[in-house]
Amino acid sequence: MIEHWLIDLAWMIATILAVVVPLLIAVAYLTLAERRVIGFMQLRKGPNVVGPFGMFQPFADALKLMAKETILPAGADKVVFIIAPMLTFVLALVAWAVIPFDAGLVLADINVGILYLFAISSLGVYGVIMAGWASNSKYAFLGALRSAAQMVSYEVSMGLVIINVLICVGSLNLSDIIEAQRDMWFALPLLPMFIVFFISTLAETNRAPFDLPEGESELVAGYFVEYSSMSFALFFLGEYANMILMSAMTTVLFLGGWLPPFDFAPFTWIPGPIWFVLKIMLCLFVFLWVRATTPRYRYDQLMRLGWKIFLPFSLIYVVLTAGFLMAFDKLPVIGG
Amino acid sequence: MLSSVFFYLFAGICCLAGLMVVSSRNPVHSVLFLILAFFNAAGLFILLNAEFLAMLLVVVYVGAVAVLFLFVVMMLDINYSELREGFQKYRSLGLLIGAVLLVELFATFFEYSGNVKSLPSPGAVHNTKALGQVIYTDYIYLFQLAGLILLVAMIGAIALTLRKRSGVRKQVIADQNSRTRAETVKLAKVETGAGVKEAS
């Protein structure tokens, strides 16, 4: 009886590690890819010395960070200060529990998968606010305020975009959402929403051109100025894991998840998880591309874009989508 | 067995966090404990198989409302000794309100018979779907009314804070975009050592 339970537990831990370990390696190589890609776009080489093509650079960086001293500022609220980076990192990891890598290949195939993802991504703001407040420093505080306002604003339009997809699917389950795209990826019929969603994910992950919370020129580094060593590394890992998570979310909602682009021979030979990873990599490349080529937004323009353009636009699109499906009698059978 | 362990875990943390909300000295800590309480309440919902409500609790209360709480509380300029005095002054009132709430809670608990008629039984139907059917069919008017009340509150808040200020330059993006090359760019031929006479 007890042994059975132990085997279950061991299996659970093994499956979780099977998701988390590749994720952490992906995060490590995403940092390298970012520097290399931006380097090539700016006619530089990027880090290419440590190992072949600079492949060991992320590990060298990690070792360097671990060897450094963790500094607790004297005026900081110590408990909150330490919890904040942990929270950021843990939230970036737990969201992966519901991401399906292939038909049936998912840790927890829950009914409200997309809501779970949305809830977890909306919690990310707490790591930022807590870090900014607990640091007891004005730069960190201002960075945290900016970031919180930004993330809350763009969540609203993201929610409406998700509703658009849900109207077309009739289920909150991520596997159902992907299966519904077997004939056509939602990126085509919902193209404007796809673009809105992608820009919102840029804002949600505090990436360029919306990286105001860490705007070097004004706020030094934003909410994590006071962090050093591994506590800084956790923020860093959390940010990149969040980028991958948002790319996965985009892939699930709009790019057909594990489905091949065309449902015939040469494409169906490649297994689903590989398609899934390829699509995530495509999204991540666009993340880096945008960072290398766009100037930073001004804060009021960022707010204007979120509230005055994306919000009404996605709301109108919800009405249009619902109206279209209703008029042509194509509403999905709910819960079926 | 396992679910009762989780119940006591969530319920215990929820009660403790609630206690810390009222007893912790630092208001920011209070809000953080409030968030912990919300989170554990969501866990309790999940144990009841009400996963949609649980996620909604996290998205709305933790993800949006509590963020705004934290925002406001963080920016308060607080004197802790003054806060303590206020605590002494309002203690009796607070205890009274707490007592009334507790009595009412127990009253409903003893009156509760366990069968709510209006809801379909859980398990028979997907609970997201069940909620949707109840809210958008039977209670559609009440639901819309609730939305309308929130809308009025929002408009009220905007009307209270919006003011026209003179002497503030605002960016009008439509104006900027409608400008043409002819009216904005002028090519000037500059003689060496002479400079440009008129800047505009």
Side-chain angles (χ1 to χ4, degrees):
Chain A
M1 196 58 199
I2 289 292
E3 285 126 42
H4 188 70
W5 187 73
L6 271 180
I7 290 171
D8 273 1
L9 189 72
W11 175 246
M12 203 190 279
I13 291 174
T15 47
I16 291 171
L17 284 180
V19 173
V20 169
V21 172
L23 176 68
L24 289 181
I25 295 174
V27 167
Y29 279 101
L30 179 60
T31 62
L32 178 71
E34 169 162 48
R35 294 162 73 183
R36 292 286 278 181
V37 167
I38 294 179
F40 283 123
M41 283 180 184
Q42 295 169 349
L43 301 181
R44 295 183 284 115
K45 280 207 162 64
N48 66 344
V49 179
V50 192
F53 307 105
M55 294 292 262
F56 300 145
Q57 183 71 43
F59 302 104
D61 289 341
L63 278 177
K64 186 198 78 176
L65 277 172
M66 275 184 228
K68 296 212 165 190
E69 183 192 353
T70 308
I71 297 168
L72 286 177
D77 185 320
K78 299 214 166 42
V79 178
V80 181
F81 188 80
I82 293 172
I83 290 177
M86 293 184 193
L87 186 73
T88 307
F89 185 62
V90 168
L91 285 176
L93 291 186
V94 289
W96 285 87
V98 295
I99 300 278
F101 296 93
D102 198 354
L105 195 62
V106 51
L107 282 182
D109 196 17
I110 60 175
N111 286 329
V112 287
I114 190 68
L115 266 182
Y116 174 83
L117 271 185
F118 193 58
I120 295 294
S121 71
S122 70
L123 291 181
V125 67
Y126 282 110
V128 173
I129 299 187
M130 282 162 73
W133 177 78
S135 300
N136 207 357
S137 139
K138 48 178 166 291
Y139 293 121
F141 190 65
L142 286 172
L145 285 185
R146 277 187 178 187
S147 170
Q150 176 177 334
M151 287 166 98
V152 171
S153 307
Y154 277 83
E155 230 156 61
V156 184
S157 57
M158 260 173 89
L160 284 171
V161 173
I162 290 175
I163 289 176
N164 259 307
V165 173
L166 294 183
I167 294 173
C168 300
V169 179
S171 167
L172 294 163
N173 184 300
L174 290 178
S175 302
D176 289 350
I177 292 175
I178 292 175
E179 277 305 326
Q181 301 178 60
R182 192 162 277 284
D183 299 326
M184 191 196 281
W185 295 357
F186 288 140
L188 290 175
L190 298 175
L191 184 66
M193 288 298 98
F194 177 48
I195 295 167
V196 167
F197 188 80
F198 187 76
I199 297 174
S200 299
T201 59
L202 286 179
E204 188 76 6
T205 48
N206 293 330
R207 291 285 300 180
F210 307 113
D211 55 348
L212 289 140
E214 45 200 80
E216 302 89 347
S217 46
E218 318 145 29
L219 292 179
V220 196
Y223 57 88
F224 52 72
V225 213
E226 303 291 341
Y227 283 87
S228 60
S229 176
M230 281 317 281
S231 53
F232 167 76
L234 285 181
F235 272 122
F236 197 71
L237 291 175
E239 187 187 326
Y240 280 81
N242 262 331
M243 272 168 70
I244 304 181
L245 176 69
M246 285 295 168
S247 301
M249 213 162 146
T250 315
T251 308
V252 168
L253 287 176
F254 291 103
L255 298 178
W258 66 73
L259 296 172
F262 302 103
D263 210 5
F264 47 77
F267 297 102
T268 48
W269 289 343
I270 300 173
I274 294 186
W275 277 121
F276 191 63
V277 170
L278 281 177
K279 288 170 190 173
I280 290 179
M281 281 163 71
L282 179 76
C283 292
L284 285 174
F285 177 75
V286 181
F287 264 77
L288 305 182
W289 189 8
V290 167
R291 163 139 191 225
T293 49
T294 52
R296 187 175 290 148
Y297 255 62
R298 213 174 58 203
Y299 200 70
D300 60 321
Q301 291 170 335
L302 169 93
M303 284 296 161
R304 175 178 176 273
L305 183 70
W307 287 108
K308 290 192 175 172
I309 298 176
F310 281 0
L311 180 61
F313 181 57
S314 45
L315 192 58
I316 289 171
Y317 217 85
V318 170
V319 176
L320 282 181
T321 313
F324 178 84
L325 291 174
M326 198 73 192
F328 291 93
D329 204 21
K330 284 192 162 133
L331 274 176
V333 185
I334 296 160
Chain B
M1 215 290 273
L2 205 61
S3 73
S4 65
V5 169
F6 277 112
F7 171 78
Y8 285 112
L9 184 76
F10 287 141
I13 296 179
C14 201
C15 291
L16 270 182
L19 214 62
M20 291 304 289
V21 171
V22 281
S23 64
S24 63
R25 281 186 167 191
N26 192 329
V28 174
H29 290 173
S30 289
V31 179
L32 291 176
F33 277 115
L34 185 67
I35 292 161
L36 187 64
F38 279 148
F39 213 78
N40 283 285
L44 289 176
F45 271 129
I46 287 183
L47 290 183
L48 289 172
N49 285 330
E51 72 265 13
F52 183 74
L53 276 182
M55 291 306 150
L56 228 55
L57 188 71
V58 175
V59 170
V60 175
Y61 283 92
V62 183
V65 175
V67 172
L68 297 180
F69 271 14
L70 201 56
F71 239 83
V72 174
V73 169
M74 264 188 342
M75 302 217 261
L76 291 177
D77 187 21
I78 313 161
N79 186 341
Y80 288 113
S81 56
E82 268 178 37
L83 211 66
R84 301 289 295 172
E85 277 171 31
F87 187 73
Q88 298 296 337
K89 204 162 70 185
Y90 292 115
R91 183 163 60 182
S92 48
L93 188 65
L95 281 177
L96 183 70
I97 293 174
V100 170
L101 279 177
L102 199 67
V103 167
E104 282 178 352
L105 208 62
F106 272 107
T108 43
F109 181 70
F110 286 123
E111 276 300 303
Y112 180 64
S113 52
N115 51 358
V116 183
K117 289 265 164 43
S118 56
L119 287 174
S121 65
V125 63
H126 204 285
N127 81 67
T128 314
K129 185 182 175 185
L131 261 179
Q133 278 176 344
V134 173
I135 289 177
Y136 287 100
T137 52
D138 300 348
Y139 297 107
I140 178 72
Y141 294 118
L142 290 176
F143 184 66
Q144 292 293 333
L145 196 67
L148 218 60
I149 290 170
L150 284 177
L151 183 69
V152 169
M154 192 175 82
I155 293 174
I158 293 173
L160 283 177
T161 49
L162 194 70
R163 59 195 167 121
K164 275 265 185 289
R165 283 189 296 176
S166 57
V168 178
R169 285 160 63 105
K170 266 197 172 169
Q171 182 182 27
V172 184
I173 295 195
D175 282 3
Q176 288 181 334
N177 284 342
S178 61
R179 296 202 326 168
T180 59
R181 187 189 164 86
E183 57 181 299
T184 50
V185 182
K186 201 167 90 178
L187 194 66
K189 189 164 174 66
V190 185
E191 298 287 330
T192 314
V196 188
K197 276 215 181 90
E198 42 177 327
S200 55

